[in-house]
Amino acid sequence: MRSNSLIELDRAHLVHPVASYRGHEAQGVRVLASAKGATVTDAQGHQLIDGFAGLWCVNAGYGHETIVEAAARQMRELPYATAYFSLGSEPAIRLAAELAERAPGDLNHVYFTLGGSDAVDSTIRFIRYYWIAKGEPQRDQFISIEQGYHGSSTVGAGLTALPNFHAGFGIPFDWQHKIPSPYPYRNPVGEDPQAIIAASLAALKDKIETVGADRVAAFYAEPIQGSGGVIVPPKGWMKAMRDLCKQYGVLFIADEVITGFGRTGPLFACSEDDIVPDFMTTAKGLTSGYVPMGAVFMADHVYQVIADGAGASAVGHGYTYSAHPVSAAVGLEVLKLYEGGLLDNGVRAGARLMAGLEGLRSHPLVGDVRGRGMLAAIELVTDKAAKTPLPAEAAPARRVFDRAWANGLVIRAFANGVIGYAPPLCCTDDEIDAIIERTKKTLDETLEDPDVRRVVKG
Ligand SMILES: Cc1ncc(COP(=O)(O)O)c(C=O)c1O
């Protein structure tokens, strides 16, 4: 009764992110009621393993009392403090310092946001300011990667390269350029890592020279393209792209909103990729989704140019909730949990997850298995040799998501038949094994659908 009325209220009033409004009205909301560890429970009492950590963000897992206590303590003491007017609060200052200490290289300056989209948006503003301060105002062109995701702000959504985020919104802007994704499974040069790296380097070089080497301000890359379908570039790809940007004097932004905070193993994927970007954007795992917060990391040289450029004037970029003390208190506690064992557990669980998914490679529907740490995907096809995606008429995303849900598993089902995994780092062996078993059951059931059976080869 209670949940039925919630469904009606939701249908009438709550506008959902990235949804077909009509499709959602017809289907109705699924209400989540509670969660503990890696398990979520819906309003009907159905328990599921959250194989996607909410929206790849609850890296620590649900129900940590110490996080709740840290937030409550901070709310009692000082629920809000602005960082305007040279004011501050202890947790925000401490969190900035702790993060700077752990960030790669000289990413020593941290600007706090409310999430990932405004972190990306902030970098665009900082980058324009930087080049103007440096006396190169003509550097106003930005390059990103097809199938990349950099959030949903008015300008950030134009760096994002997913059709839904552009169609009907009048973006991308003419200063936002794209190069092809490295996408190893579907790269026209094949799956050889060196050939993929060479192709991406050639594409970026060509784009920079076409746009004008003195016009390009910055290049954006995710260490793993998350929302584009968990696309894992070959080892050495990030470093090669970073080095090329350095040669051209183009700023390099590593968007670690998904990959940060243990998702791929270490605190930051950039460390493993052996690069120091000029900016690094993070969010999600920063507070493990318990409260909103994002962070822009800025390299020393960028900070100094902006600071000197502004001199005694204010750099006019700010948010009421930048450096929010409650979010910062949560961030500090979450960091303690990561370093107190969760990162290590994530590495162990990630290896088990990858091994389990590899075991599904022989399934007739599985064309590709890929991932790093606790970030993984399988790509469904109907013909392994031709890599034919499931037909759009089969609505693979809806079908696979609903079926996995019924089987007690939350996954991310992408429209093109990619299934994404980003479980909490706290997963036990049994929970990882259950993710694999429930995936297999979901795939077996899907294979039995007459319309799928008809088109599957082999
Ligand atoms: C790489 C990347 N950048 C930016 C964002 C935007 O973050 P948010 O949804 O917190 O605004 C996301 C969100 O998934 C992301 O994956």
Side-chain angles (χ1 to χ4, degrees):
M1 192 58 202
R2 184 176 145 264
S3 77
N4 282 346
S5 69
L6 278 182
I7 291 167
E8 287 316 314
L9 289 172
D10 172 86
R11 191 174 272 132
H13 301 295
L14 203 149
V15 179
H16 286 252
V18 195
S20 150
Y21 293 176
R22 294 292 178 230
H24 177 75
E25 288 163 11
Q27 185 191 316
V29 69
R30 281 186 169 122
V31 179
L32 290 171
S34 63
K36 180 84 190 155
T39 299
V40 292
T41 305
D42 74 9
Q44 279 71 45
H46 180 47
Q47 293 201 323
L48 307 99
I49 295 181
D50 187 356
F52 203 60
L55 194 62
W56 14 46
C57 58
V58 190
N59 294 7
Y62 300 91
H64 285 282
E65 275 305 317
T66 59
I67 302 178
V68 177
E69 275 162 24
R73 200 180 318 122
Q74 189 58 45
M75 279 194 189
R76 272 186 214 106
E77 273 170 22
L78 182 67
Y80 176 79
T82 182
Y84 280 58
F85 323 132
S86 290
L87 298 177
S89 71
E90 181 171 345
I93 296 164
R94 289 208 182 283
L95 182 60
E98 298 286 344
L99 291 174
E101 195 183 309
R102 289 159 177 79
D106 65 343
L107 291 166
N108 286 328
H109 307 271
V110 180
Y111 175 76
F112 287 114
T113 63
L114 283 70
S117 295
D118 53 343
V120 169
D121 201 70
S122 296
T123 61
I124 298 171
R125 300 205 77 211
F126 288 136
I127 289 164
R128 291 301 311 273
Y129 201 97
Y130 168 90
W131 285 118
I132 289 169
K134 238 180 134 59
E136 296 187 60
Q138 82 288 351
R139 280 203 190 255
D140 56 3
Q141 305 290 303
F142 288 64
I143 303 175
S144 57
I145 305 175
E146 282 164 14
Q147 276 147 299
Y149 187 68
H150 301 289
S152 194
S153 74
T154 306
V155 290
L159 298 177
T160 287
L162 302 175
N164 276 348
F165 286 79
H166 294 175
F169 290 104
I171 52 168
F173 297 105
D174 59 7
W175 48 269
Q176 297 176 319
H177 310 272
K178 308 287 180 302
I179 62 165
S181 164
Y183 206 167
Y185 184 58
R186 295 188 183 278
N187 198 306
V189 302
E191 299 196 35
D192 173 56
Q194 293 318 314
I196 292 170
I197 293 174
S200 289
L201 285 174
L204 180 57
K205 197 163 187 265
D206 185 56
K207 184 62 77 181
I208 292 174
E209 285 179 358
T210 308
V211 171
D214 61 337
R215 294 291 314 278
V216 179
F219 172 69
Y220 285 70
E222 297 159 85
I224 290 174
Q225 292 191 292
S227 302
V230 190
I231 295 169
V232 188
K235 198 167 166 42
W237 182 92
M238 277 291 270
K239 186 157 174 51
M241 301 303 270
R242 203 281 170 261
D243 289 348
L244 185 66
C245 285
K246 208 173 249 172
Q247 272 175 37
Y248 278 97
V250 168
L251 293 175
F252 186 96
I253 294 79
D255 189 345
E256 289 233 33
V257 167
I258 289 176
T259 54
F261 300 98
R263 181 54 53 213
T264 70
L267 214 47
F268 304 109
C270 279
S271 322
E272 224 176 15
D273 287 330
D274 195 22
I275 64 157
V276 181
D278 298 300
F279 286 92
M280 186 168 78
T281 46
T282 64
K284 298 192 187 276
L286 170 61
T287 50
S288 211
Y290 279 59
V291 286
M293 188 176 232
V296 176
F297 292 68
M298 205 186 280
D300 264 337
H301 75 96
V302 176
Y303 175 84
Q304 299 307 342
V305 168
I306 292 176
D308 287 343
S313 304
V315 177
H317 183 63
Y319 304 134
T320 299
Y321 298 119
S322 180
H324 196 285
V326 177
S327 300
V330 167
L332 283 167
E333 180 55 32
V334 164
L335 195 55
K336 246 191 243 164
L337 293 173
Y338 289 147
E339 294 185 336
L342 274 175
L343 290 183
D344 291 343
N345 194 68
V347 169
R348 269 196 309 274
R352 196 172 181 97
L353 176 70
M354 286 312 301
L357 292 175
E358 279 295 339
L360 298 178
R361 208 180 259 279
S362 56
H363 192 281
L365 283 176
V366 175
D368 192 31
V369 177
R370 52 186 182 250
R372 200 161 115 195
M374 289 287 258
L375 183 56
I378 57 178
E379 183 157 345
L380 306 187
V381 293
T382 56
D383 180 340
K384 292 191 189 222
K387 302 184 178 177
T388 314
L390 259 68
E393 313 85 78
R398 183 78 268 153
R399 191 182 300 204
V400 169
F401 182 86
D402 288 349
R403 202 161 256 157
W405 186 279
N407 289 330
L409 175 64
V410 187
I411 41 94
R412 170 77 177 263
F414 294 92
N416 57 354
V418 173
I419 302 180
Y421 300 84
L425 308 183
C426 64
C427 275
T428 61
D429 286 357
D430 285 350
E431 285 164 336
I432 295 292
D433 294 349
I435 289 174
I436 304 300
E437 278 157 29
R438 293 172 196 190
T439 298
K440 182 170 183 314
K441 185 162 189 274
T442 300
L443 295 181
D444 288 346
E445 288 168 1
T446 304
L447 188 59
E448 289 312 310
D449 287 341
D451 59 335
V452 173
R453 185 81 269 171
R454 231 182 352 261
V455 289
V456 169
K457 286 223 171 91

